[in-house]
Amino acid sequence: MEQKRKLGFWSIVLLTINSIIGTGIFLSPGGVAKQSGALAPFIYVCAAVFAIMLALTFASASKYTREAELPTHM
């Protein structure tokens, strides 16, 4: 019988960060910097803080799944 593995806290954190960074490739950093001007560094720091919060939220939600599969309500 094959044992199913559960995704851990840090696995989900890193997967979420990976998906956020992966979707960010479609945004032009030059365009963001051009539109935000001198506030660009602040905006990028704020985006990073929100990305970390989102990653931690998904990771803490991982404790509600028993197996390495999607929850049934999705």
Side-chain angles (χ1 to χ4, degrees):
M1 182 198 275
E2 187 177 321
Q3 181 181 4
K4 291 184 179 180
R5 295 183 59 172
K6 180 181 174 183
L7 290 175
F9 177 82
W10 291 111
S11 296
I12 293 181
V13 168
L14 294 174
L15 284 170
T16 305
I17 291 172
N18 182 45
S19 66
I20 291 169
I21 292 172
T23 57
I25 198 168
F26 297 111
L27 297 175
S28 169
V32 173
K34 183 179 178 183
Q35 289 183 357
S36 59
L39 291 176
F42 175 72
I43 290 171
Y44 277 108
V45 168
C46 288
V49 168
F50 286 120
I52 291 169
M53 290 171 44
L54 182 63
L56 292 173
T57 300
F58 278 108
S60 66
S62 71
K63 65 183 174 185
Y64 297 110
T65 59
R66 294 184 209 159
E67 299 177 4
E69 58 185 39
L70 291 174
T72 56
H73 67 278
M74 291 185 111

